[in-house]
Amino acid sequence: MALPPTNLQTIEAHMLELQSLHPTASGAFTGLFGDIALAAKIISREVNKAGLADDILGATDQENVQGEIVQKLDEYANDVFMKCLGTRGQVCIMGSEEVADPVYIDPGEGNGNYIVVFDPLDGSSNIDANVSVGTIFGIWRRKNRLNNLGMEDILQTGAEQVAAGYVIYGSSTMFVYTAGHGVHGFTLDPSIGEFLLSHEDIKTPFNGKIYSVNEAYEPRWTPEVREMVRALKYGRQTKETSRKDAPSRGSGMSTRYIGSLVADFHRNLLYGGVYLYPPYEGKPQGKLRMMCEAAPLALIAENAGGYASNGQQSILEVTPDHLHMRTPLYIGSRDDVLWIEKTLSESGDSI
Ligand code: P6P
């Protein structure tokens, strides 16, 4: 007979503990996290049987607002999020990477305090090859009354998020979140259908040994980005390399690139390192989305002791100009990303 799990703290229990820090809390925020965790469990079930389930693999015949082919699981994950978050009264507006416009929700009897922007299944082009994929979400509080909502309630900075998180559907399904009191990871025990605390108070290393970037774009990067990546490869002076016993191969980093942002980010968060998606010729703002990818992961990185930049400033300081705004992204170990930002901003590398 299996031993009882060592740590029995579920994500709901963790949120209730967090709620106790806010005596006036209504429980709506805790309820919202329960809705997101429910969506994650449902999506995890489908992702993990994708190879067996008929008609859930492969692409639909549609393109999303990003001009990307919608995978069947993208569509499924988006529907699950819309249903789990849109019918429980906590959310007044949802923004999805898969949907062109914001979705305004009638919270019914609920207080509809929150705006949730999400990428329901990031990296889904990898799904047919059984590569880890993920969900990313950011949560903001509305600024206006329910009968007067608008873009001002949606286009808020990453620093104004009340919480952010991601789910990684990999060798196990993990739910990682921050609400400003540290970063905590929960692993799904599918036999009991609960996310159990497995990584309490995650802190990311100050420097890392990994850089994650798609080097196929190298010919289309600016000279400054090219030089910066070269320095990551061949070594730059850091507190580590100035040590007498610095590793013989200098501070050069190793490359690891899965092509699935959540998987690359999660590995670098735990091990240390940087993920880069620079602008390139034809994509002056890069590929990644500010609100449903960069800002939520930036809040997590910062709360774990890391940093996230667009090459000129902190991602968390940027006010989006539209729901699907793209941004260059350099994210991970604090000292490494600060060095990247200093190097690019001194070179005046425009974004
Ligand atoms: P490229 C997936 O489409 C994604 O948004 C991220 O998950 C991933 O890191 C990146 O794009 C991969 O993009 O241009 O390297 O194929």
Side-chain angles (χ1 to χ4, degrees):
M1 179 167 64
L3 291 172
T6 47
N7 190 316
L8 284 172
Q9 184 163 51
T10 64
I11 195 163
E12 286 79 4
H14 200 266
M15 295 310 298
L16 282 170
E17 255 184 41
L18 183 69
Q19 182 180 308
S20 65
L21 301 178
H22 304 276
T24 58
S26 66
F29 185 71
T30 302
L32 172 56
F33 257 82
D35 299 341
I36 296 173
L38 173 64
K41 292 174 192 173
I42 296 169
I43 294 167
S44 175
R45 182 192 60 194
E46 286 308 303
V47 166
N48 286 307
K49 68 179 186 184
L52 301 172
D54 51 7
D55 86 354
I56 198 77
L57 278 179
T60 65
D61 56 1
Q62 298 152 45
E63 264 192 14
N64 64 16
V65 64
Q66 323 292 344
E68 296 160 344
I69 298 293
V70 177
Q71 302 296 318
K72 290 177 184 172
L73 266 172
D74 278 328
E75 199 170 41
Y76 176 82
N78 188 60
D79 290 350
V80 168
F81 249 82
M82 291 288 176
K83 285 194 179 69
C84 287
L85 273 64
T87 59
R88 317 266 283 204
Q90 320 298 359
V91 175
C92 55
I93 305 173
M94 283 193 280
S96 169
E97 192 215 41
E98 298 299 335
V99 180
D101 300 314
V103 177
Y104 288 80
I105 310 278
D106 172 2
E109 304 308 311
N111 46 36
N113 281 335
Y114 300 106
I115 290 102
V116 183
V117 183
F118 56 89
D119 182 352
L121 206 63
D122 178 79
S124 54
S125 56
N126 295 300
I127 194 76
D128 294 5
N130 204 18
V131 169
S132 298
V133 292
T135 294
I136 310 170
F137 64 90
I139 304 175
W140 287 264
R141 190 184 297 278
R142 65 180 159 88
K143 292 188 167 185
N144 294 302
R145 294 189 317 280
L146 283 173
N147 60 4
N148 188 32
L149 296 175
M151 291 314 284
E152 182 197 15
D153 296 286
I154 300 170
L155 302 180
Q156 300 186 47
T157 65
E160 293 174 286
Q161 292 174 102
V162 291
Y166 63 87
V167 185
I168 179 167
Y169 310 100
S171 52
S172 62
T173 293
M174 267 193 75
F175 188 116
V176 179
Y177 90 93
T178 187
H181 300 275
V183 175
H184 309 288
F186 299 78
T187 299
L188 181 63
D189 180 337
S191 67
I192 56 174
E194 291 288 1
F195 280 108
L196 299 177
L197 183 63
S198 54
H199 297 67
E200 187 165 17
D201 198 18
I202 297 171
K203 291 299 176 200
T204 196
F206 186 63
N207 286 104
K209 281 273 174 264
I210 294 170
Y211 75 99
S212 306
V213 71
N214 184 340
E215 302 215 41
Y217 297 117
E218 196 266 354
R220 298 164 65 183
W221 290 338
T222 63
E224 295 75 17
V225 167
R226 212 172 288 140
E227 187 50 38
M228 175 271 289
V229 174
R230 181 181 164 75
L232 292 178
K233 269 195 244 193
Y234 293 100
R236 64 174 185 87
Q237 281 312 311
T238 66
K239 286 202 180 82
E240 270 210 352
T241 52
S242 49
R243 276 197 346 245
K244 283 189 282 307
D245 58 349
S248 59
R249 67 183 175 86
S251 73
M253 292 180 156
S254 293
T255 185
R256 295 286 185 277
Y257 192 68
I258 301 171
S260 181
L261 170 58
V262 172
D264 281 314
F265 176 81
H266 182 68
R267 180 206 51 243
N268 293 355
L269 183 74
L270 298 182
Y271 295 174
V274 291
Y275 171 97
L276 311 92
Y277 208 105
Y280 58 85
E281 192 188 321
K283 284 266 189 187
Q285 298 300 329
K287 169 183 183 183
L288 301 179
R289 276 61 61 158
M290 172 60 83
M291 294 204 73
C292 66
E293 292 170 325
L297 296 183
L299 192 73
I300 288 179
E302 289 245 354
N303 276 271
Y307 182 60
S309 174
N310 63 6
Q312 305 297 318
Q313 66 181 115
S314 166
I315 286 283
L316 295 179
E317 290 165 5
V318 178
T319 301
D321 55 17
H322 67 89
L323 177 61
H324 297 290
M325 170 182 168
R326 295 179 190 270
T327 178
L329 179 63
Y330 308 93
I331 188 168
S333 292
R334 187 166 197 82
D335 187 49
D336 297 329
V337 179
L338 283 171
W339 175 82
I340 289 172
E341 181 180 276
K342 182 171 180 293
T343 305
L344 294 181
S345 52
E346 275 172 359
S347 68
D349 184 53
S350 61
I351 60 161

